[in-house]
């Protein structure tokens, strides 16, 4: 595992934690995580919050790891296969507004923020304007209300 830092403060460039496996590398951007828990429910042998490192990409077949990472609605988890193409964006682009106002977007995206444009395939954008991690939702305003389609931590 390469830990390229932890949480970044508002205004700082995004920081990633990188977990390298033989068949796949998983990256994690802590400030984007909304704790949907799709990862820990999907592959608990790979994603286990009670251990360090919490991500062990070689604990399951690379294709299964990629499938579970794609369930992460916020895009906090991403992956790079050791060989072959990376994540393909959904087509057409889809946008859903949750009851609390979050915008769940999937597709071939270019998201503009304080640190320039980023290519994305999955994001949860702030719909209330209160996020300290604009344009991404950080659940710091009315968006903190629970939503059925973005699972809450258990």
């Amino acid at each position: 595992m390469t830990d390229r830092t932890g949480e970044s403060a508002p205004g700082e460039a995004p920081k990633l934690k990188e977990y390298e496996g033989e068949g796949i590398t998983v990256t994690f951007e802590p400030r984007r995580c909304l704790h949907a828990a799709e990862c820990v429910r999907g592959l608990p042998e790979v994603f286990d919050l009670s251990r360090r490192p919490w991500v062990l990409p070689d604990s399951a077949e690379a294709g299964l790891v990629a499938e579970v990472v794609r369930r992460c609605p916020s895009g906090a988890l991403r992956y790079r296969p050791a060989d072959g193409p990376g994540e393909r964006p959904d087509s057409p682009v889809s946008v859903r507004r949750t009851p609390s106002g979050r915008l769940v977007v999937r597709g071939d995206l270019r998201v503009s923020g304080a640190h320039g444009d980023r290519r994305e395939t999955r994001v949860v954008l702030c719909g209330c304007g209160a996020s300290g991690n604009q344009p991404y939702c950080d659940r710091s305003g009315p968006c903190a209300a629970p939503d059925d389609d973005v699972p809450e931590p258990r």
Side-chain angles (χ1 to χ4, degrees):
M1 174 197 85
T2 304
D3 184 348
R4 294 195 334 220
T5 194
E7 299 273 339
S8 55
E12 287 185 22
K15 297 183 181 179
L16 300 176
K17 292 183 178 187
E18 189 171 270
Y19 304 91
E20 189 172 336
E22 286 188 31
I24 192 167
T25 296
V26 176
T27 60
F28 176 60
E29 188 175 336
R31 285 195 71 210
R32 298 256 308 268
C33 183
L34 296 176
H35 307 288
E38 292 293 329
C39 55
V40 296
R41 281 194 306 274
L43 278 175
E45 63 273 25
V46 174
F47 303 97
D48 183 348
L49 297 172
S50 68
R51 71 166 180 247
R52 294 294 176 258
W54 77 280
V55 180
L56 298 175
D58 289 333
S59 294
E61 188 268 319
L64 287 174
V65 174
E67 178 184 319
V68 169
V69 167
R70 285 190 298 269
R71 294 181 200 165
C72 173
S74 69
L77 287 171
R78 299 171 85 168
Y79 69 91
R80 285 188 320 271
D83 56 352
E87 182 175 354
R88 290 185 167 184
D90 289 358
S91 182
V93 171
S94 66
V95 180
R96 287 182 295 123
R97 185 174 187 89
T98 70
S100 69
R102 295 180 230 179
L103 300 171
V104 181
V105 187
R106 296 180 76 95
D108 189 8
L109 311 171
R110 185 181 78 194
V111 178
S112 297
H115 302 285
D117 291 350
R118 293 180 68 181
R119 295 297 306 246
E120 303 280 4
T121 57
R122 296 170 279 111
V123 296
V124 176
L125 300 175
C126 176
C128 69
S131 175
N133 190 27
Q134 288 290 341
Y136 306 100
C137 179
D138 67 3
R139 295 174 41 176
S140 61
C143 292
D147 281 326
D148 291 336
D149 58 349
V150 179
E152 296 299 313
R154 294 178 184 219

